[in-house]
């Protein structure tokens, strides 16, 4: 559970590639390449077409924009990850969480553009989300993961329900 302890330790010992420093909007930033930096934001005013392009890039099915807008509006936390290069910024990551505002939160829609995967940025985005949720005194954090990303979340300390699968689902016919 080293990952979880690292969220609450006073020293943020991340590798230089994923160490985020300085403030940009309400998030943090990392210099990734010459003239480019990555920063996080909890600003909800996200261009839905840009978010759709990001989701398309990873092969997600399209969803009605009015529903995506509503999901963002009703989320407890929305985090986006941006690449800033000069005056141009590009959405390269996104995640959101719903919550009962007291005990529980569920993280949804975690996506990182393929060009930015395998660089520690997905882990950094999740760490950012968890820190923000913990700062709101949320103690139980859950998520749903497709089979091909389960190991990513396991490496971050997420475990299957230790009491067995409690989740049940209802889908319209």
């Amino acid at each position: 559970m080293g990952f979880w302890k690292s969220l609450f330790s006073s020293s943020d010992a991340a590798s230089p590639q994923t160490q985020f420093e300085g403030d940009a909007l309400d998030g943090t930033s990392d210099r990734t390449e010459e003239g480019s930096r990555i920063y996080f934001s909890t600003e909800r005013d996200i261009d839905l077409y840009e978010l759709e392009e990001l989701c398309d890039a990873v092969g997600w099915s399209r969803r009605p924009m009015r529903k995506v807008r509503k999901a963002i509006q009703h989320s407890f936390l929305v985090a986006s990850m941006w690449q800033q290069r000069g005056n141009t910024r590009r959405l390269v990551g996104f995640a959101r969480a719903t919550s009962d505002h007291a005990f529980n939160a569920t993280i949804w829609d975690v996506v990182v553009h393929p060009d930015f995967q395998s660089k520690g940025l997905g882990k950094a985005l999740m760490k950012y989300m968890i820190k923000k949720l913990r700062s709101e005194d949320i103690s139980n954090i859950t998520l749903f993961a497709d089979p091909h990303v389960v190991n990513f979340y396991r490496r971050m300390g997420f475990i299957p329900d230790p009491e067995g699968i409690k989740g049940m689902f209802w889908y319209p016919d």
Side-chain angles (χ1 to χ4, degrees):
M1 290 275 186
F3 172 78
W4 292 101
K5 286 182 182 177
S6 76
L7 290 176
F8 310 111
S9 67
S10 58
S11 69
D12 227 353
S15 70
Q17 190 175 18
T18 59
Q19 185 173 347
F20 293 86
E21 58 195 47
D23 287 331
L25 291 176
D26 61 340
T28 54
S29 69
D30 175 33
R31 301 249 175 239
T32 56
E33 55 188 67
E34 195 64 36
S36 175
R37 69 184 175 113
I38 300 292
Y39 69 93
F40 293 116
S41 174
T42 56
E43 187 65 41
R44 291 172 186 255
D45 188 23
I46 296 169
D47 182 330
L48 296 181
Y49 291 102
E50 198 168 0
L51 179 56
E52 184 175 56
E53 285 178 13
L54 175 60
C55 294
D56 284 348
V58 296
W60 286 6
S61 299
R62 289 198 174 197
R63 300 181 286 184
M65 283 204 191
R66 67 179 171 73
K67 286 189 168 191
V68 172
R69 179 181 297 109
K70 191 174 186 176
I72 291 171
Q73 289 170 345
H74 292 281
S75 291
F76 179 75
L77 172 64
V78 173
S80 51
M81 186 168 55
W82 300 86
Q83 178 191 43
Q84 182 81 40
R85 183 180 271 155
N87 292 330
T88 305
R89 73 178 195 160
R90 173 183 176 196
L91 181 65
V92 297
F94 177 85
R96 66 184 186 89
T98 54
S99 178
D100 62 8
H101 296 247
F103 301 104
N104 305 295
T106 302
I107 297 175
W108 303 93
D109 301 333
V110 179
V111 60
V112 173
H113 194 282
D115 293 347
F116 293 84
Q117 292 176 7
S118 301
K119 298 178 186 212
L121 295 174
K123 181 178 178 181
L125 178 59
M126 285 298 297
K127 186 174 181 179
Y128 183 76
M129 290 288 290
I130 293 166
K131 271 190 171 183
K132 289 286 190 184
L133 291 169
R134 292 294 298 138
S135 75
E136 295 290 333
D137 204 25
I138 301 296
S139 55
N140 298 318
I141 302 171
T142 60
L143 56 80
F144 294 91
D146 289 332
H148 68 281
V149 292
V150 166
N151 286 333
F152 168 78
Y153 293 111
R154 280 183 197 233
R155 286 190 303 270
M156 296 184 62
F158 282 88
I159 58 172
D161 184 346
E163 297 176 23
I165 303 290
K166 290 183 182 178
M168 297 181 76
F169 302 89
W170 178 91
Y171 296 105
D173 290 331

